[in-house]
Amino acid sequence: MRGVCIVVFRQAKWSEPLIFEIGGDGRIGHIVPEPGEEVRRIVDGINIPEKIKRKKPPRLPRVSEVEVVRHYTRLTQMSYGVDNGPVPLGSCTMKYNPRIGFEAAYDPRITWLHPLQDEDTVQGLLKLLYLLQKWLANITGMDKCTLHPAAGAHGELTGMLVTRKYHDLRGQLNVKKEIIVPDSAHGTNPASASMAGFTVVEVPSGSDGNIDVEALKTVVSEKTAGLMITNPSTLGLFEENIAEIEELIHSVDGLLYYDGANLNGIMGYTRPGDMGFDIAHINIHKTFGSPHGGGGPGAGPVCVKDRVVNEDKSIRLGDLLPGYIVEYDEDNDKYYLLGPGKHSIGLLKAFFGNIGPLIWGFTYILMLGAKGLRLVTEQAVLNTNYFASKIRKVKGFSIPYGENRPRKHEVVVSAEKLYEETGVSALDVAKGLLDAGFYAPTIYFPLIVREALMTEFTESETLENIDKYVERLREISETAYTNPEEARKWPINTSVGRIDEVKANHPKTMAPTWRIYLEKTRK
Amino acid sequence: MNPHPWIPNSTDEYCKVIMEELGIRSIDELFQDIPGKFRIKRDEWDNLEIGFKEPISEYEAWRFIDESLSMNKKLKTIPFLGGGVYPHYVPAVVKHILMRGEFLTSYTPYQAEISVGLMQALFEYQSLMAELLDMDIVNASMYDWGSATGEAFLMSLRVKRGRRKIIIPHTMNPFHRRVAETYLYPHDVSLVEVGVTEKGTVNISELEEKIDGETAAVYLQNPNFLGFIEEYAVEIGEIAHKHGALFIMGVYPISLGLLEAPGKLGADIVVGEGQPLGLYPSFGGPLLGIFAIRNDRKLLRQMPGRLIGLTTTKDGKERAFAMILQTREQHIRREKATSNICTNEALSAIASAVYLSLLGPDGLKKLAETNYYHAHYAEKKLSSLEGVETRIYSGEFFNEFPVRFDHTGREYYEIHRRLLEKGIHGGIYLGNSYPELGESALYAFTEMHTRRDIDLLVEALKDVLNG
Ligand SMILES: Cc1ncc(COP(=O)(O)O)c(C=O)c1O
C-alpha cells in the first residue's frame, strides 16, 4: 500500500536579479490602448496645472513581456506552497486548495463586476453570497453573518468593535474596559482588542491545556467587556471548561468571542453557537480551502447570535454588524444588499468583501456539504493524532500540556529536550525539514510552549507524507545527538542558506526598498 | 462514506492504519472531550442546510455556479463606475503568474530560505510602488484603500501623541471616510471637514482656519472623490507641517502617470488603492491597500503591516530577503503592536508588481493619458446634451467627474433605470453623500471605455432624456 522512500530535494536556484536590473532602454512589456485620432482632436490636448504635473517619470524597469514572465516564473520556482508539498504550519490550516474554486472566483461574470453596480445586475453573485451567509451561520450555529471583513484579524477587530458598541448602547462603556485572552492566544487577539480600545487581561493555561478557571475567576469582574478564545485552543486541545467559562463571562454581561481559526478541528461535532459564543469569525482561507497567496488575500466573515442589545429589545447584536448583508425578498424573488444600518459599526473596508476568497470558499462548501465537512474534520483530527503518536516516540521531542489528551486540528510539539541535550533548537529542526523538501511547522508559537513546533497537517496530507515527515524528524534527532554542528548548517538544499537577520534589521544596512538599498550602498 | 479526492486518507484502508496506531476503534473516541451538551447530533448536522448536505461532483458544482451566474445581467459596456475601484484591463500575464501554485498556495514567508522567490516578489512590489509614489518605504500591503486610511489615521495619533483632531476634505471618498470613522470609533478623536472652492478642490483658507496645534494629520485625496485634481497639494502639505501635523495623501495610482508623485508634494504617509494596477474590480475585493511613508525613524517605528527587507545570507555571499522590523507586529508585540494585521493582500501586491513591470514608465504615462482623453471626450459629448451639466466645478479633472441632471427635469434614479434597460450602467449617484449637488452622478472613464462605448452611453442618454 505505501512505501517510504528517501526524500531527495533540491530547490531551484537562480541568481535572479531584481526586476530593476533586467531589461534595457526602450523595451516595453505591454501595449496600452491609445485614444483614436477623433478623440484626440476633440479633446485637444492634456491640460494639467503645471504645479501638479509629474516632472520625472517613475524609475520603473523597461522589460519585454517574455522577460517579465521568465523573471516571475523563476521567482515562483524559488517558493514553496501546498502545491509543492506538505506545509504543516500550525494554526494556518494549509490545506489543498481545490482548483475549481479558482475557476469560480475568476469567472469573468464575477471579476468584472464593480462593487457599486445596481443589485439587479448582480443577482447571480448575490445568490451565491446569500447562500454562503446561510451556510456559515449553520456551520457556526449562529444567527446572522457578514461577509465584509477581509481576513481573520479584520474579523476580530469587527467583533471587538461590535462588543464595544454593544456596551456603548447599553450605557456601560465607562465600566466595560477589559478583554480577557488566554496566554496561548494568537497575537492578533490581543492586538485586535487593543485596537478596539480595550485593555487586555491575560489568563494562564493549566498543565492540562485548559484555561485555568480559578485564575479566570480572579480577573473576571464588572470591568470585563468580553473574552476572546479559540476552541480548540492553539494547543490543539478542546477547551473542556467551556461551560464554566461561558457562565462566568455572561454572568458579568461580557460577550464571548470565538476565534474561528481552528474550526477545522470541530466541524460536525460542535459549533461555537452551541458552546455559548456570541460572536465568531471564520477564516475562509484556513477552513474553507481558499489559498493563502503568500500572505493573503483571505476573508474573515463574522457571525453573531441574535442577542438582544437594548431594553426594549429593538436592537439585536446582528444590527451592529458592519458592511453589507445580502437579503432575499421572496415575494419578488430578488436578492438585495442591506446596510450598514443605523446601529452598525459601519464599514471596515470600502466595499462588500473579498469576493475571490469568498467564492472559492463557497465552492468548497458546495462540493462537500455538511457530511463532507464532518469528514474533513475527522480526517484532520486523525492525521494530527497519528503524527502526535509517532513523533512522541522520537528522541528529544515531547507533547506538553494534556499529554495524553487527543488533539484536534493540530499538535504542538516541544523540542525543549532536544535543545537542552544537544543545543539543536526548534529553528534548527525547522531548517532540517526544509532540507528534505518539507515546509516547517509554525515555530516558537504558542508562547507558552518552549521550542514549539506547532504542526497541522490538515485532512489533505497523505499518510505517506506524514510518515516521511516523521522519518525526517527522526533523522534530525539522530543528527542532533551525534553531530549537532551539522544541524546549524541547514538548510543547504534550498535556494539560499540561512539569512542574515541582523543585517536586515540594522538601521545602517536595513533596505526595505530598492531605492534605499541604492542610497545606502552608494555611500 | 466514500473517499474524497481532496482527502487522501479517507479510505477504509488508511483509516485502519491510523486507528491502529492510535489504538482506537472509532473516530468518535477522539472527540470524547467535547462535553455532551455541546455536541451536535449526527442527524441534526447532516440535515443542516450546508451546501447540498452530501458531497457532489465538481461538474455538478460547476453547473450550479454557472447557472446562478447566468442570472447576472449582461451589459453592453463596462459600467461607467469608479469611486475608488476602477475597471482597468488586466494583462493575461498577470493572471498567469498569479495562478502559479508556488505563490498562490504558499503562506506568509516564515521560512525565508525556501521562500526567497516570494520574498523577492514582495520586495519588488514595495520597491516598484516606492518609485511610483516617490516615497521611501512601502509595506507589503493592507486590505484596501479604506482600511489603509483608517490605519494611517491611527498611526498619526501615535506619532503625534496627545493630538486629537484629523482634518479631511469634504471630497474625501465617502466610503473611505466611513471606514476611517469605524477605525476611530474607540478613540476620542474628531474628524473635521474642510469644504471646496468653485474649482471642486480644497478650500485652503478654510483649512487655515480649522487647523491648530491639536491637529494630528491633514488628509488630502488626489484626484479627489469628485475627480478633481488638487492643484495646491504642496501648499496644503506646508500648512499641515507648519502646525506640526502629518500630511497624509490618498492616491489613485494610474493618475500618477501624469500627476506629480506624492513624495514630491511633501506627503509623510501615502495610502491608496492598488486595484487599478492589475487587479479586477471583483465586486470590491480582493483589493490592495497601499501604505507608504517617508524614511523617518519615528514614522517607521509606528508603521503598520509587514515589511520585506533586502539582505544577504549569513555568509554574506548571496542576496536574500527577510521580514524586517517584526517587533512592530502582532505576533511579537501582541496588544502593543502597531496593528492587528496578519493576513494581508500579498498576492494582489505581486499582481501589481507584475503589472508595473509590464507597463514600465512609458506605458504608465500612456495609460494615464488614455484615461484622461476618454474622460474628457466623454465630458465634451455629454455636455452637448440638453440640460446635462458637466461643469459643476471649474477645476481640472483626471478620468472622473460629476454630471448634474437637474435641468433635465428628471431624477437620476429614473435615468439610471432607463439606461439599464438599454444595457448601459451609468455612474454613482451622488445625492446621498453630496446632497448639494442635486440629481448628480459621478461618471468614470478608463482605457476600457472606448470611444464606441462612450458614444453608446451618450446616444442612450439622449434617448432617455428625449423619451
Ligand atoms: C488562531 C488564529 N487567530 C487569528 C488569526 C488571524 O487570521 P488572519 O491571518 O486571517 O488575519 C490566525 C492566523 O494567522 C490564527 O492562527
Side-chain angles (χ1 to χ4, degrees):
Chain A
M1 174 175 98
R2 60 206 166 98
V4 174
C5 64
I6 298 160
V7 184
V8 179
F9 169 68
R10 298 281 182 286
Q11 194 176 25
K13 184 182 183 74
W14 301 96
S15 298
E16 184 62 15
L18 291 167
I19 190 79
F20 295 95
E21 300 164 314
I22 302 175
D25 275 354
R27 282 204 186 133
I28 59 161
H30 186 73
I31 297 174
V32 168
E34 292 191 47
E37 278 310 306
E38 181 68 1
V39 170
R40 281 187 197 274
R41 192 185 58 77
I42 289 177
V43 173
D44 192 23
I46 291 177
N47 186 19
I48 288 174
E50 197 51 37
K51 290 172 73 81
I52 195 92
K53 234 188 224 161
R54 187 158 196 144
K55 311 291 181 306
K56 254 192 174 160
R59 214 171 23 163
L60 300 175
R62 295 172 197 272
V63 281
S64 57
E65 185 170 328
V66 63
E67 287 172 291
V68 172
V69 169
R70 282 198 187 131
H71 172 70
Y72 287 104
T73 300
R74 288 176 171 200
L75 295 189
T76 64
Q77 290 175 340
M78 297 189 283
S79 305
Y80 190 105
V82 177
D83 282 4
N84 299 81
V87 184
L89 284 165
S91 211
C92 304
T93 318
M94 295 297 286
K95 57 175 67 181
Y96 169 65
N97 311 117
R99 284 313 193 275
I100 181 67
F102 186 96
E103 294 297 314
Y106 278 81
D107 190 302
R109 289 170 294 180
I110 293 177
T111 50
W112 287 111
L113 297 180
H114 190 279
L116 299 173
Q117 255 179 259
D118 192 299
E119 286 155 359
D120 283 355
T121 65
V122 295
Q123 287 293 302
L125 175 65
L126 294 186
K127 176 182 171 184
L128 304 184
L129 297 171
Y130 177 78
L131 286 173
L132 181 59
Q133 280 174 190
K134 197 191 263 181
W135 296 349
L136 293 176
N138 285 336
I139 290 167
T140 54
M142 301 300 225
D143 298 308
K144 193 171 180 185
C145 301
T146 175
L147 304 176
H148 181 62
H154 214 206
E156 292 172 24
L157 179 60
T158 298
M160 287 299 100
L161 292 173
V162 165
T163 302
R164 188 174 187 88
K165 190 80 190 243
Y166 169 84
H167 294 302
D168 200 351
L169 289 169
R170 294 167 73 83
Q172 294 294 309
L173 209 48
N174 52 340
V175 198
K176 297 290 183 191
K177 299 240 178 253
E178 297 175 351
I179 292 287
I180 302 173
V181 298
D183 55 2
S184 62
H186 194 255
T188 50
N189 291 185
S192 302
S194 160
M195 262 177 107
F198 292 113
T199 307
V200 175
V201 180
E202 232 180 50
V203 274
S205 310
S207 59
D208 56 359
N210 290 322
I211 289 178
D212 182 339
V213 176
E214 289 313 311
L216 180 63
K217 281 181 186 157
T218 65
V219 295
V220 171
S221 73
E222 285 307 306
K223 286 195 228 159
T224 305
L227 167 88
M228 291 181 98
I229 53 171
T230 168
N231 192 15
S233 68
T234 57
L235 294 165
L237 292 166
F238 191 84
E239 176 57 64
E240 290 171 307
N241 301 324
I242 186 64
E244 237 181 312
I245 295 169
E246 186 262 330
E247 247 185 67
L248 255 173
I249 301 298
H250 279 153
S251 73
V252 294
D253 194 25
L255 295 184
L256 261 82
Y257 184 86
Y258 182 83
D259 174 344
N262 301 337
L263 213 51
N264 218 46
I266 55 167
M267 284 185 296
Y269 283 85
T270 183
R271 307 183 296 171
D274 302 336
M275 293 184 251
F277 285 92
D278 303 294
I279 313 171
H281 86 251
I282 295 149
N283 300 66
I284 295 290
H285 48 297
K286 296 184 197 287
T287 318
F288 299 110
S290 78
H292 279 74
V302 169
C303 303
V304 295
K305 277 280 184 54
D306 191 26
R307 197 186 166 94
V308 168
V309 172
N310 63 340
E311 267 174 10
D312 66 19
K313 302 190 178 166
S314 60
I315 309 175
R316 304 292 178 123
L317 212 45
D319 299 327
L320 278 47
L321 286 176
Y324 313 87
I325 294 180
V326 189
E327 303 275 354
Y328 179 56
D329 170 0
E330 218 159 324
D331 296 339
N332 296 304
D333 186 24
K334 198 187 141 167
Y335 297 91
Y336 60 99
L337 293 173
L338 209 60
K342 186 169 150 216
H343 301 294
S344 160
I345 58 167
L347 294 178
L348 276 93
K349 64 197 290 289
F351 302 108
F352 184 90
N354 276 354
I355 296 296
L358 288 169
I359 291 299
W360 199 311
F362 170 87
T363 312
Y364 183 88
I365 301 172
L366 173 68
M367 271 188 70
L368 284 167
K371 284 189 188 166
L373 290 179
R374 183 174 53 225
L375 183 67
V376 162
T377 286
E378 288 175 349
Q379 296 288 331
V381 173
L382 280 173
N383 281 356
T384 305
N385 286 289
Y386 179 78
F387 173 73
S389 168
K390 293 264 174 172
I391 192 65
R392 243 194 204 107
K393 299 170 200 156
V394 179
K395 193 172 170 191
F397 297 109
S398 65
I399 301 179
Y401 291 98
E403 222 168 313
N404 296 312
R405 294 180 54 195
R407 262 53 193 176
K408 293 289 172 288
H409 61 294
E410 69 194 353
V411 57
V412 183
V413 176
S414 169
E416 185 176 12
K417 192 150 165 278
L418 188 78
Y419 181 59
E420 278 172 1
E421 294 176 354
T422 70
V424 171
S425 65
L427 181 80
D428 299 326
V429 172
K431 303 306 177 196
L433 284 163
L434 302 185
D435 252 354
F438 296 125
Y439 210 85
T442 302
I443 52 175
Y444 301 107
F445 177 74
L447 306 177
I448 57 173
V449 175
R450 293 246 179 98
E451 299 298 321
L453 295 156
M454 186 193 215
T455 317
E456 180 179 15
F457 279 105
T458 82
E459 71 287 356
S460 53
E461 203 43 76
T462 63
L463 198 65
E464 291 86 336
N465 271 338
I466 300 176
D467 282 339
K468 285 182 203 167
Y469 208 88
V470 173
E471 197 40 46
R472 178 60 189 164
L473 284 164
R474 202 189 313 277
E475 281 172 16
I476 289 171
S477 159
E478 255 174 54
T479 308
Y481 281 99
T482 53
N483 186 9
E485 274 319 299
E486 185 73 18
R488 267 177 279 283
K489 294 185 197 140
W490 295 332
I492 51 175
N493 295 330
T494 46
S495 303
V496 293
R498 287 206 198 183
I499 312 293
D500 192 338
E501 307 259 357
V502 177
K503 192 187 282 170
N505 282 289
H506 195 281
K508 278 224 173 79
T509 43
M510 185 194 299
T513 47
W514 179 233
R515 58 165 51 196
I516 289 192
Y517 175 80
L518 288 180
E519 228 171 72
K520 285 186 176 166
T521 46
R522 246 185 235 127
K523 268 180 205 160
Chain B
M1 203 156 164
N2 291 328
H4 195 277
W6 306 338
I7 313 176
N9 303 336
S10 58
T11 71
D12 293 342
E13 235 186 16
Y14 281 99
C15 286
K16 213 174 112 215
V17 176
I18 295 174
M19 287 178 18
E20 265 167 22
E21 169 70 27
L22 302 182
I24 57 169
R25 283 224 199 89
S26 112
I27 294 175
D28 230 38
E29 289 177 47
L30 298 173
F31 294 91
Q32 285 309 316
D33 49 355
I34 302 179
K37 69 168 176 175
F38 296 143
R39 290 271 211 107
I40 182 161
K41 292 203 184 64
R42 244 184 139 73
D43 285 1
E44 195 187 336
W45 175 269
D46 287 350
N47 283 308
L48 286 173
E49 191 188 336
I50 299 173
F52 292 156
K53 298 178 187 171
E54 306 270 349
I56 60 171
S57 70
E58 187 173 311
Y59 175 66
E60 287 165 299
W62 173 244
R63 267 304 278 272
F64 181 80
I65 292 168
D66 184 53
E67 280 169 21
S68 303
L69 290 180
S70 66
M71 289 159 59
N72 285 354
K73 188 174 162 69
K74 215 168 146 39
L75 298 165
K76 283 205 188 109
T77 74
I78 298 252
F80 296 91
L81 293 164
V85 165
Y86 300 85
H88 287 288
Y89 180 71
V90 179
V93 167
V94 175
K95 183 170 158 192
H96 281 260
I97 297 294
L98 294 198
M99 280 169 74
R100 301 269 316 181
E102 302 91 330
F103 279 171
L104 182 71
T105 70
S106 65
Y107 200 72
T108 301
Y110 286 137
Q111 298 292 338
E113 299 88 347
I114 203 167
S115 307
V116 70
L118 172 62
M119 295 176 100
Q120 181 169 336
L122 290 169
F123 176 81
E124 289 180 356
Y125 160 73
Q126 293 172 183
S127 301
L128 290 161
M129 191 56 82
E131 296 304 329
L132 182 60
L133 304 173
D134 211 340
M135 296 295 282
D136 302 310
I137 302 172
V138 178
N139 75 15
S141 74
M142 308 300 283
Y143 306 129
D144 74 335
W145 186 351
S147 58
T149 308
E151 291 268 18
F153 287 3
L154 290 178
M155 175 171 155
S156 73
L157 299 176
R158 295 192 297 272
V159 173
K160 300 288 174 188
R161 204 160 271 293
R163 297 191 178 209
R164 289 265 155 270
K165 182 158 135 185
I166 292 170
I167 297 187
I168 54 168
H170 180 55
T171 47
M172 172 181 186
N173 183 314
F175 297 98
H176 301 161
R177 179 180 177 159
R178 191 86 203 255
V179 178
E181 283 165 357
T182 305
Y183 272 75
L184 292 174
Y185 160 52
H187 303 270
D188 174 27
V189 177
S190 50
L191 280 180
V192 175
E193 192 180 293
V194 173
V196 294
T197 64
E198 73 287 345
K199 281 187 153 180
T201 57
V202 166
N203 183 333
I204 294 190
S205 45
E206 191 183 333
L207 170 65
E208 279 182 313
E209 274 163 34
K210 289 187 171 163
I211 195 169
D212 57 22
E214 269 290 284
T215 309
V218 174
Y219 179 67
L220 183 69
Q221 180 181 336
N222 188 37
N224 66 35
F225 181 69
L226 297 178
F228 297 104
I229 298 168
E230 294 287 351
E231 184 178 350
Y232 297 102
V234 170
E235 287 76 3
I236 292 168
E238 281 168 1
I239 294 168
H241 289 151
K242 200 172 78 195
H243 290 83
L246 291 179
F247 181 39
I248 304 174
M249 281 193 74
V251 296
Y252 171 14
I254 301 288
S255 74
L256 298 177
L258 283 172
L259 301 187
E260 188 57 287
K264 285 268 185 299
L265 301 170
D268 301 298
I269 304 176
V270 177
V271 292
E273 182 50 68
Q275 173 272 328
L277 305 171
L279 294 163
Y280 302 92
S282 199
F283 202 60
L287 304 178
L288 167 62
I290 299 169
F291 199 107
I293 58 167
R294 237 173 355 92
N295 191 5
D296 173 285
R297 289 196 61 143
K298 200 167 172 196
L299 294 178
L300 184 54
R301 229 177 312 138
Q302 295 298 340
M303 187 184 198
R306 194 168 296 139
L307 281 171
I308 308 288
L310 178 61
T311 179
T312 64
T313 48
K314 268 198 174 148
D315 60 15
K317 287 186 182 148
E318 289 177 272
R319 233 186 228 171
F321 300 87
M323 295 207 274
I324 58 172
L325 295 179
Q326 293 189 63
T327 48
R328 299 164 301 116
E329 294 188 68
Q330 47 76 26
H331 58 285
I332 309 276
R333 194 52 66 81
R334 298 174 78 81
E335 68 270 20
K336 297 199 181 67
T338 54
S339 167
N340 67 341
I341 194 165
C342 179
T343 290
N344 53 24
E345 312 291 304
L347 201 64
S348 302
I350 294 175
S352 23
V354 176
Y355 185 86
L356 285 170
S357 310
L358 285 170
L359 262 72
D362 308 322
L364 194 81
K365 180 152 190 276
K366 273 192 186 152
L367 184 66
E369 286 176 358
T370 304
N371 276 258
Y372 180 98
Y373 272 109
H374 283 176
H376 285 74
Y377 172 78
E379 190 271 325
K380 291 243 162 38
K381 288 274 168 174
L382 288 169
S383 66
S384 68
L385 298 177
E386 178 95 17
V388 175
E389 249 182 295
T390 57
R391 281 312 209 155
I392 310 178
Y393 294 105
S394 63
E396 293 299 331
F397 61 91
F398 173 56
N399 73 340
E400 198 169 18
F401 55 91
V403 183
R404 183 149 65 191
F405 295 91
D406 285 15
H407 298 307
T408 66
R410 307 285 181 96
E411 286 190 354
Y412 186 67
Y413 183 72
E414 186 204 333
I415 296 171
H416 163 74
R417 301 296 315 171
R418 300 277 310 278
L419 275 179
L420 213 50
E421 282 164 20
K422 295 176 177 293
I424 305 275
H425 198 305
I428 304 166
Y429 178 59
L430 289 170
N432 302 324
S433 303
Y434 300 91
E436 73 272 19
L437 297 185
E439 291 301 307
S440 297
L442 186 63
Y443 275 73
F445 303 86
T446 74
E447 79 282 4
M448 290 186 76
H449 302 102
T450 61
R451 180 179 162 213
R452 225 182 69 209
D453 295 335
I454 299 167
D455 289 346
L456 267 176
L457 165 72
V458 176
E459 282 310 307
L461 254 178
K462 196 192 251 169
D463 278 359
V464 167
L465 296 174
N466 289 337

